[in-house]
PDB file of all heavy atoms in Angstrom:
ATOM      1  N   GLU A 129    -100.659  23.509  48.012  1.00 98.00           N
ATOM      2  CA  GLU A 129     -99.328  22.997  47.741  1.00 98.00           C
ATOM      3  C   GLU A 129     -99.284  22.242  46.417  1.00 98.00           C
ATOM      4  O   GLU A 129    -100.261  21.618  45.990  1.00 98.00           O
ATOM      5  CB  GLU A 129     -98.840  22.079  48.873  1.00 98.00           C
ATOM      6  CG  GLU A 129     -99.629  20.804  49.044  1.00 98.00           C
ATOM      7  CD  GLU A 129     -98.998  19.870  50.077  1.00 98.00           C
ATOM      8  OE1 GLU A 129     -97.953  20.209  50.657  1.00 98.00           O
ATOM      9  OE2 GLU A 129     -99.572  18.786  50.305  1.00 98.00           O
ATOM     10  N   PHE A 130     -98.127  22.316  45.819  1.00 98.00           N
ATOM     11  CA  PHE A 130     -97.873  21.638  44.555  1.00 98.00           C
ATOM     12  C   PHE A 130     -97.862  20.130  44.747  1.00 98.00           C
ATOM     13  O   PHE A 130     -97.297  19.616  45.736  1.00 98.00           O
ATOM     14  CB  PHE A 130     -96.532  22.119  44.012  1.00 98.00           C
ATOM     15  CG  PHE A 130     -96.013  21.359  42.831  1.00 98.00           C
ATOM     16  CD1 PHE A 130     -96.545  21.546  41.567  1.00 98.00           C
ATOM     17  CD2 PHE A 130     -94.968  20.457  42.987  1.00 98.00           C
ATOM     18  CE1 PHE A 130     -96.048  20.855  40.483  1.00 98.00           C
ATOM     19  CE2 PHE A 130     -94.450  19.768  41.905  1.00 98.00           C
ATOM     20  CZ  PHE A 130     -94.999  19.964  40.647  1.00 98.00           C
ATOM     21  N   VAL A 131     -98.480  19.418  43.819  1.00 98.00           N
ATOM     22  CA  VAL A 131     -98.459  17.952  43.832  1.00 98.00           C
ATOM     23  C   VAL A 131     -97.613  17.422  42.675  1.00 98.00           C
ATOM     24  O   VAL A 131     -96.709  16.612  42.878  1.00 98.00           O
ATOM     25  CB  VAL A 131     -99.885  17.384  43.738  1.00 98.00           C
ATOM     26  CG1 VAL A 131     -99.849  15.862  43.596  1.00 98.00           C
ATOM     27  CG2 VAL A 131    -100.710  17.794  44.947  1.00 98.00           C
ATOM     28  N   GLY A 132     -97.912  17.857  41.468  1.00 98.00           N
ATOM     29  CA  GLY A 132     -97.162  17.368  40.317  1.00 98.00           C
ATOM     30  C   GLY A 132     -97.517  18.138  39.065  1.00 98.00           C
ATOM     31  O   GLY A 132     -98.493  18.880  39.028  1.00 98.00           O
ATOM     32  N   VAL A 133     -96.701  17.947  38.043  1.00 98.00           N
ATOM     33  CA  VAL A 133     -96.919  18.597  36.755  1.00 98.00           C
ATOM     34  C   VAL A 133     -96.475  17.650  35.661  1.00 98.00           C
ATOM     35  O   VAL A 133     -95.496  16.907  35.822  1.00 98.00           O
ATOM     36  CB  VAL A 133     -96.168  19.948  36.671  1.00 98.00           C
ATOM     37  CG1 VAL A 133     -94.686  19.785  36.913  1.00 98.00           C
ATOM     38  CG2 VAL A 133     -96.435  20.649  35.346  1.00 98.00           C
ATOM     39  N   ILE A 134     -97.201  17.673  34.559  1.00 98.00           N
ATOM     40  CA  ILE A 134     -96.849  16.882  33.390  1.00 98.00           C
ATOM     41  C   ILE A 134     -96.711  17.822  32.207  1.00 98.00           C
ATOM     42  O   ILE A 134     -97.488  18.788  32.071  1.00 98.00           O
ATOM     43  CB  ILE A 134     -97.905  15.780  33.133  1.00 98.00           C
ATOM     44  CG1 ILE A 134     -97.467  14.856  31.998  1.00 98.00           C
ATOM     45  CG2 ILE A 134     -99.283  16.375  32.865  1.00 98.00           C
ATOM     46  CD1 ILE A 134     -98.307  13.586  31.881  1.00 98.00           C
ATOM     47  N   ASP A 135     -95.723  17.569  31.373  1.00 97.00           N
ATOM     48  CA  ASP A 135     -95.502  18.496  30.272  1.00 97.00           C
ATOM     49  C   ASP A 135     -96.558  18.312  29.185  1.00 97.00           C
ATOM     50  O   ASP A 135     -97.405  17.426  29.255  1.00 97.00           O
ATOM     51  CB  ASP A 135     -94.081  18.379  29.729  1.00 97.00           C
ATOM     52  CG  ASP A 135     -93.809  17.099  28.969  1.00 97.00           C
ATOM     53  OD1 ASP A 135     -94.674  16.204  28.948  1.00 97.00           O
ATOM     54  OD2 ASP A 135     -92.696  16.983  28.400  1.00 97.00           O
ATOM     55  N   TYR A 136     -96.490  19.153  28.166  1.00 96.00           N
ATOM     56  CA  TYR A 136     -97.577  19.244  27.198  1.00 96.00           C
ATOM     57  C   TYR A 136     -97.782  17.966  26.390  1.00 96.00           C
ATOM     58  O   TYR A 136     -98.892  17.679  25.953  1.00 96.00           O
ATOM     59  CB  TYR A 136     -97.339  20.423  26.256  1.00 96.00           C
ATOM     60  CG  TYR A 136     -96.074  20.322  25.439  1.00 96.00           C
ATOM     61  CD1 TYR A 136     -96.106  19.811  24.151  1.00 96.00           C
ATOM     62  CD2 TYR A 136     -94.849  20.734  25.949  1.00 96.00           C
ATOM     63  CE1 TYR A 136     -94.950  19.701  23.398  1.00 96.00           C
ATOM     64  CE2 TYR A 136     -93.692  20.625  25.198  1.00 96.00           C
ATOM     65  CZ  TYR A 136     -93.750  20.109  23.931  1.00 96.00           C
ATOM     66  OH  TYR A 136     -92.601  20.007  23.195  1.00 96.00           O
ATOM     67  N   ASN A 137     -96.720  17.174  26.206  1.00 93.00           N
ATOM     68  CA  ASN A 137     -96.883  15.956  25.409  1.00 93.00           C
ATOM     69  C   ASN A 137     -96.804  14.685  26.253  1.00 93.00           C
ATOM     70  O   ASN A 137     -96.776  13.588  25.715  1.00 93.00           O
ATOM     71  CB  ASN A 137     -95.874  15.903  24.265  1.00 93.00           C
ATOM     72  CG  ASN A 137     -94.439  15.922  24.762  1.00 93.00           C
ATOM     73  OD1 ASN A 137     -94.194  15.857  25.957  1.00 93.00           O
ATOM     74  ND2 ASN A 137     -93.497  16.020  23.843  1.00 93.00           N
ATOM     75  N   GLY A 138     -96.784  14.863  27.566  1.00 94.00           N
ATOM     76  CA  GLY A 138     -96.825  13.702  28.444  1.00 94.00           C
ATOM     77  C   GLY A 138     -95.524  12.954  28.587  1.00 94.00           C
ATOM     78  O   GLY A 138     -95.502  11.843  29.121  1.00 94.00           O
ATOM     79  N   GLU A 139     -94.428  13.546  28.144  1.00 95.00           N
ATOM     80  CA  GLU A 139     -93.160  12.820  28.163  1.00 95.00           C
ATOM     81  C   GLU A 139     -92.395  12.970  29.460  1.00 95.00           C
ATOM     82  O   GLU A 139     -91.502  12.171  29.750  1.00 95.00           O
ATOM     83  CB  GLU A 139     -92.290  13.270  26.986  1.00 95.00           C
ATOM     84  CG  GLU A 139     -92.828  12.812  25.642  1.00 95.00           C
ATOM     85  CD  GLU A 139     -91.876  13.142  24.496  1.00 95.00           C
ATOM     86  OE1 GLU A 139     -90.873  13.830  24.724  1.00 95.00           O
ATOM     87  OE2 GLU A 139     -92.164  12.685  23.367  1.00 95.00           O
ATOM     88  N   SER A 140     -92.702  13.967  30.225  1.00 96.00           N
ATOM     89  CA  SER A 140     -92.000  14.128  31.495  1.00 96.00           C
ATOM     90  C   SER A 140     -92.941  14.718  32.536  1.00 96.00           C
ATOM     91  O   SER A 140     -93.941  15.377  32.213  1.00 96.00           O
ATOM     92  CB  SER A 140     -90.765  15.002  31.331  1.00 96.00           C
ATOM     93  OG  SER A 140     -91.123  16.286  30.899  1.00 96.00           O
ATOM     94  N   ALA A 141     -92.608  14.430  33.768  1.00 97.00           N
ATOM     95  CA  ALA A 141     -93.420  14.912  34.891  1.00 97.00           C
ATOM     96  C   ALA A 141     -92.520  15.102  36.097  1.00 97.00           C
ATOM     97  O   ALA A 141     -91.450  14.496  36.199  1.00 97.00           O
ATOM     98  CB  ALA A 141     -94.544  13.927  35.215  1.00 97.00           C
ATOM     99  N   GLU A 142     -92.955  15.939  36.992  1.00 97.00           N
ATOM    100  CA  GLU A 142     -92.257  16.120  38.257  1.00 97.00           C
ATOM    101  C   GLU A 142     -93.289  16.149  39.377  1.00 97.00           C
ATOM    102  O   GLU A 142     -94.444  16.510  39.154  1.00 97.00           O
ATOM    103  CB  GLU A 142     -91.449  17.417  38.240  1.00 97.00           C
ATOM    104  CG  GLU A 142     -90.274  17.378  37.295  1.00 97.00           C
ATOM    105  CD  GLU A 142     -89.098  18.204  37.769  1.00 97.00           C
ATOM    106  OE1 GLU A 142     -89.261  18.936  38.766  1.00 97.00           O
ATOM    107  OE2 GLU A 142     -88.027  18.103  37.143  1.00 97.00           O
ATOM    108  N   PHE A 143     -92.808  15.758  40.570  1.00 98.00           N
ATOM    109  CA  PHE A 143     -93.708  15.603  41.701  1.00 98.00           C
ATOM    110  C   PHE A 143     -93.099  16.196  42.958  1.00 98.00           C
ATOM    111  O   PHE A 143     -91.880  16.277  43.105  1.00 98.00           O
ATOM    112  CB  PHE A 143     -94.017  14.116  41.933  1.00 98.00           C
ATOM    113  CG  PHE A 143     -94.716  13.475  40.778  1.00 98.00           C
ATOM    114  CD1 PHE A 143     -93.994  12.881  39.762  1.00 98.00           C
ATOM    115  CD2 PHE A 143     -96.100  13.505  40.691  1.00 98.00           C
ATOM    116  CE1 PHE A 143     -94.631  12.309  38.674  1.00 98.00           C
ATOM    117  CE2 PHE A 143     -96.753  12.937  39.606  1.00 98.00           C
ATOM    118  CZ  PHE A 143     -96.012  12.351  38.595  1.00 98.00           C
ATOM    119  N   ALA A 144     -93.980  16.547  43.866  1.00 98.00           N
ATOM    120  CA  ALA A 144     -93.539  16.941  45.188  1.00 98.00           C
ATOM    121  C   ALA A 144     -92.930  15.729  45.886  1.00 98.00           C
ATOM    122  O   ALA A 144     -93.348  14.589  45.657  1.00 98.00           O
ATOM    123  CB  ALA A 144     -94.713  17.481  45.995  1.00 98.00           C
ATOM    124  N   ASP A 145     -91.975  15.985  46.750  1.00 97.00           N
ATOM    125  CA  ASP A 145     -91.320  14.883  47.467  1.00 97.00           C
ATOM    126  C   ASP A 145     -92.317  14.045  48.255  1.00 97.00           C
ATOM    127  O   ASP A 145     -92.151  12.831  48.401  1.00 97.00           O
ATOM    128  CB  ASP A 145     -90.256  15.440  48.410  1.00 97.00           C
ATOM    129  CG  ASP A 145     -89.038  15.969  47.664  1.00 97.00           C
ATOM    130  OD1 ASP A 145     -88.863  15.625  46.477  1.00 97.00           O
ATOM    131  OD2 ASP A 145     -88.267  16.724  48.274  1.00 97.00           O
ATOM    132  N   SER A 146     -93.356  14.683  48.749  1.00 97.00           N
ATOM    133  CA  SER A 146     -94.327  13.991  49.601  1.00 97.00           C
ATOM    134  C   SER A 146     -95.136  12.925  48.855  1.00 97.00           C
ATOM    135  O   SER A 146     -95.714  12.032  49.488  1.00 97.00           O
ATOM    136  CB  SER A 146     -95.275  15.006  50.233  1.00 97.00           C
ATOM    137  OG  SER A 146     -95.954  15.736  49.229  1.00 97.00           O
ATOM    138  N   VAL A 147     -95.174  13.007  47.531  1.00 98.00           N
ATOM    139  CA  VAL A 147     -95.970  12.045  46.762  1.00 98.00           C
ATOM    140  C   VAL A 147     -95.129  11.241  45.778  1.00 98.00           C
ATOM    141  O   VAL A 147     -95.644  10.331  45.114  1.00 98.00           O
ATOM    142  CB  VAL A 147     -97.114  12.751  45.996  1.00 98.00           C
ATOM    143  CG1 VAL A 147     -97.961  13.583  46.954  1.00 98.00           C
ATOM    144  CG2 VAL A 147     -96.589  13.604  44.855  1.00 98.00           C
ATOM    145  N   LYS A 148     -93.852  11.576  45.687  1.00 98.00           N
ATOM    146  CA  LYS A 148     -92.985  10.903  44.726  1.00 98.00           C
ATOM    147  C   LYS A 148     -92.953   9.403  44.994  1.00 98.00           C
ATOM    148  O   LYS A 148     -92.832   8.959  46.139  1.00 98.00           O
ATOM    149  CB  LYS A 148     -91.573  11.499  44.828  1.00 98.00           C
ATOM    150  CG  LYS A 148     -90.761  11.413  43.579  1.00 98.00           C
ATOM    151  CD  LYS A 148     -89.489  12.246  43.700  1.00 98.00           C
ATOM    152  CE  LYS A 148     -89.798  13.727  43.630  1.00 98.00           C
ATOM    153  NZ  LYS A 148     -88.558  14.556  43.639  1.00 98.00           N
ATOM    154  N   GLY A 149     -93.105   8.627  43.931  1.00 97.00           N
ATOM    155  CA  GLY A 149     -93.117   7.177  44.061  1.00 97.00           C
ATOM    156  C   GLY A 149     -94.497   6.599  44.320  1.00 97.00           C
ATOM    157  O   GLY A 149     -94.706   5.385  44.176  1.00 97.00           O
ATOM    158  N   ARG A 150     -95.458   7.441  44.678  1.00 98.00           N
ATOM    159  CA  ARG A 150     -96.819   6.963  44.915  1.00 98.00           C
ATOM    160  C   ARG A 150     -97.809   7.520  43.896  1.00 98.00           C
ATOM    161  O   ARG A 150     -98.785   6.846  43.560  1.00 98.00           O
ATOM    162  CB  ARG A 150     -97.280   7.368  46.326  1.00 98.00           C
ATOM    163  CG  ARG A 150     -96.443   6.795  47.446  1.00 98.00           C
ATOM    164  CD  ARG A 150     -97.047   7.107  48.812  1.00 98.00           C
ATOM    165  NE  ARG A 150     -97.100   8.544  49.082  1.00 98.00           N
ATOM    166  CZ  ARG A 150     -98.226   9.209  49.321  1.00 98.00           C
ATOM    167  NH1 ARG A 150     -99.389   8.578  49.339  1.00 98.00           N
ATOM    168  NH2 ARG A 150     -98.183  10.520  49.571  1.00 98.00           N
ATOM    169  N   PHE A 151     -97.555   8.707  43.428  1.00 98.00           N
ATOM    170  CA  PHE A 151     -98.439   9.359  42.464  1.00 98.00           C
ATOM    171  C   PHE A 151     -97.780   9.370  41.092  1.00 98.00           C
ATOM    172  O   PHE A 151     -96.563   9.431  40.972  1.00 98.00           O
ATOM    173  CB  PHE A 151     -98.732  10.792  42.878  1.00 98.00           C
ATOM    174  CG  PHE A 151     -99.608  10.965  44.095  1.00 98.00           C
ATOM    175  CD1 PHE A 151     -99.884   9.909  44.953  1.00 98.00           C
ATOM    176  CD2 PHE A 151    -100.146  12.205  44.388  1.00 98.00           C
ATOM    177  CE1 PHE A 151    -100.680  10.079  46.083  1.00 98.00           C
ATOM    178  CE2 PHE A 151    -100.952  12.396  45.499  1.00 98.00           C
ATOM    179  CZ  PHE A 151    -101.211  11.320  46.348  1.00 98.00           C
ATOM    180  N   SER A 152     -98.608   9.342  40.078  1.00 98.00           N
ATOM    181  CA  SER A 152     -98.114   9.495  38.707  1.00 98.00           C
ATOM    182  C   SER A 152     -99.131  10.317  37.913  1.00 98.00           C
ATOM    183  O   SER A 152    -100.278  10.499  38.350  1.00 98.00           O
ATOM    184  CB  SER A 152     -97.881   8.141  38.048  1.00 98.00           C
ATOM    185  OG  SER A 152     -99.089   7.417  37.950  1.00 98.00           O
ATOM    186  N   LEU A 153     -98.679  10.790  36.766  1.00 98.00           N
ATOM    187  CA  LEU A 153     -99.519  11.611  35.905  1.00 98.00           C
ATOM    188  C   LEU A 153     -99.535  11.037  34.495  1.00 98.00           C
ATOM    189  O   LEU A 153     -98.527  10.516  34.015  1.00 98.00           O
ATOM    190  CB  LEU A 153     -98.984  13.044  35.849  1.00 98.00           C
ATOM    191  CG  LEU A 153     -99.296  13.935  37.045  1.00 98.00           C
ATOM    192  CD1 LEU A 153     -98.393  15.156  37.053  1.00 98.00           C
ATOM    193  CD2 LEU A 153    -100.750  14.357  37.029  1.00 98.00           C
ATOM    194  N   SER A 154    -100.664  11.178  33.856  1.00 98.00           N
ATOM    195  CA  SER A 154    -100.765  10.852  32.439  1.00 98.00           C
ATOM    196  C   SER A 154    -101.746  11.827  31.804  1.00 98.00           C
ATOM    197  O   SER A 154    -102.485  12.526  32.510  1.00 98.00           O
ATOM    198  CB  SER A 154    -101.225   9.409  32.227  1.00 98.00           C
ATOM    199  OG  SER A 154    -102.533   9.210  32.749  1.00 98.00           O
ATOM    200  N   ARG A 155    -101.712  11.875  30.499  1.00 98.00           N
ATOM    201  CA  ARG A 155    -102.648  12.753  29.801  1.00 98.00           C
ATOM    202  C   ARG A 155    -103.061  12.121  28.485  1.00 98.00           C
ATOM    203  O   ARG A 155    -102.289  11.374  27.881  1.00 98.00           O
ATOM    204  CB  ARG A 155    -102.044  14.132  29.593  1.00 98.00           C
ATOM    205  CG  ARG A 155    -100.817  14.193  28.721  1.00 98.00           C
ATOM    206  CD  ARG A 155    -100.188  15.593  28.760  1.00 98.00           C
ATOM    207  NE  ARG A 155    -101.060  16.603  28.175  1.00 98.00           N
ATOM    208  CZ  ARG A 155    -100.956  17.903  28.421  1.00 98.00           C
ATOM    209  NH1 ARG A 155    -100.025  18.349  29.249  1.00 98.00           N
ATOM    210  NH2 ARG A 155    -101.770  18.762  27.848  1.00 98.00           N
TER     211      ARG A 155
END
């Protein structure tokens, strides 16, 4: 299952509802 994705320059990300607000992404 999908957890999250971050775009190529780190400016935006999206998350599965199950982890939204608890998980974050950086690069």
Side-chain angles (χ1 to χ4, degrees):
E129 65 174 0
F130 170 76
V131 174
V133 57
I134 186 168
D135 71 353
Y136 61 95
N137 60 6
E139 290 186 353
S140 61
E142 291 212 352
F143 298 90
D145 288 343
S146 59
V147 306
K148 207 170 287 184
R150 299 186 297 120
F151 290 14
S152 62
L153 282 164
S154 63
R155 63 188 295 159

